[in-house]
């Protein structure tokens, strides 16, 4: 990657952290990029990449207190539409993967996302699978970029 690309990635991550500063739930990591709702739940955690705050709040409430929900945010609104690029989304997903491995090692995780978050979730799913995580199911909503996966994908 070029320095310009790294600068764009760092800028996107900083904007995402700023957008997430008022997300509900517990902040999991020092960067503020991972939040968890219903953290005391006993079910397999669902990791989901959202485009905004409100769906995270609503899904956590709808799933109930027994379903942990790890909330990530896509790069939606972090750059002009004409600057959307897959390599920036992949770099963001790779950063999320590092944080997930550090904070949730050894845990099975459902992984999913919608819209722009679906592509980031797909990359995270593959990364975690290669790291040895048990991914019982993966979900991609409102996405055209479905990739083959050795686990179950719905």
């Amino acid at each position: 990657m070029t320095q310009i690309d790294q600068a764009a990635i760092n800028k996107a991550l900083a904007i995402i952290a700023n957008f997430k500063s008022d997300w509900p739930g517990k902040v999991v990591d020092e960067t503020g990029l991972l939040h968890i709702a219903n953290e005391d739940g006993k079910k397999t955690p669902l990791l989901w990449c959202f485009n905004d705050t409100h769906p995270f709040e609503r899904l956590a409430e709808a799933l109930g207190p027994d379903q942990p929900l790890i909330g990530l945010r896509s790069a939606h609104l972090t750059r002009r539409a004409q600057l959307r690029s897959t390599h920036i989304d992949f770099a963001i997903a790779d950063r999320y993967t590092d944080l997930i491995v550090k904070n949730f090692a050894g845990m099975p995780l459902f992984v999913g996302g919608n819209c722009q978050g679906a592509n980031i979730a797909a990359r995270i799913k593959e990364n975690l699978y290669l790291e040895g995580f048990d991914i019982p199911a993966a979900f991609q909503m409102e996405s055209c970029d479905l990739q083959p996966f050795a686990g179950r994908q719905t």
Side-chain angles (χ1 to χ4, degrees):
M1 260 185 269
T2 67
Q3 285 188 328
I4 294 170
D5 293 335
Q6 191 58 52
I9 292 161
N10 291 341
K11 182 178 179 181
L13 287 167
I15 292 170
I16 290 169
N18 186 53
F19 281 154
K20 291 193 76 193
S21 65
D22 64 348
W23 276 36
K26 177 184 172 187
V27 177
V28 175
D29 66 295
E30 67 282 353
T31 66
L33 293 172
L34 300 180
H35 284 73
I36 187 167
N38 306 330
E39 70 176 308
D40 295 327
K42 303 299 180 221
K43 295 181 179 178
T44 300
L46 170 61
L47 184 146
W48 197 272
C49 191
F50 299 91
N51 283 339
D52 199 3
T53 306
H54 301 297
F56 175 66
E57 293 175 298
R58 290 182 194 125
L59 185 58
E61 185 178 315
L63 292 172
D66 202 34
Q67 178 61 66
L69 177 64
I70 302 163
L72 313 174
R73 192 187 189 287
S74 74
H76 177 62
L77 299 178
T78 64
R79 56 195 182 270
R80 292 189 312 265
Q82 63 267 34
L83 297 179
R84 272 196 75 212
S85 89
T86 301
H87 78 273
I88 292 176
D89 285 347
F90 280 3
I92 290 167
D94 294 347
R95 178 66 179 128
Y96 281 144
T97 301
D98 293 343
L99 295 170
I100 294 160
V101 168
K102 180 179 175 184
N103 290 283
F104 298 101
M107 295 179 68
L109 296 170
F110 294 114
V111 178
N114 59 291
C115 200
Q116 288 181 14
N119 296 333
I120 292 173
R123 173 72 172 219
I124 292 169
K125 165 194 69 180
E126 293 300 326
N127 289 346
L128 293 176
Y129 184 76
L130 292 172
E131 289 282 342
F133 274 70
D134 177 17
I135 310 293
F139 311 89
Q140 286 181 257
M141 292 175 43
E142 304 159 345
S143 173
C144 298
D145 189 24
L146 296 176
Q147 301 291 321
F149 177 56
R152 194 175 103 222
Q153 185 160 323
T154 59

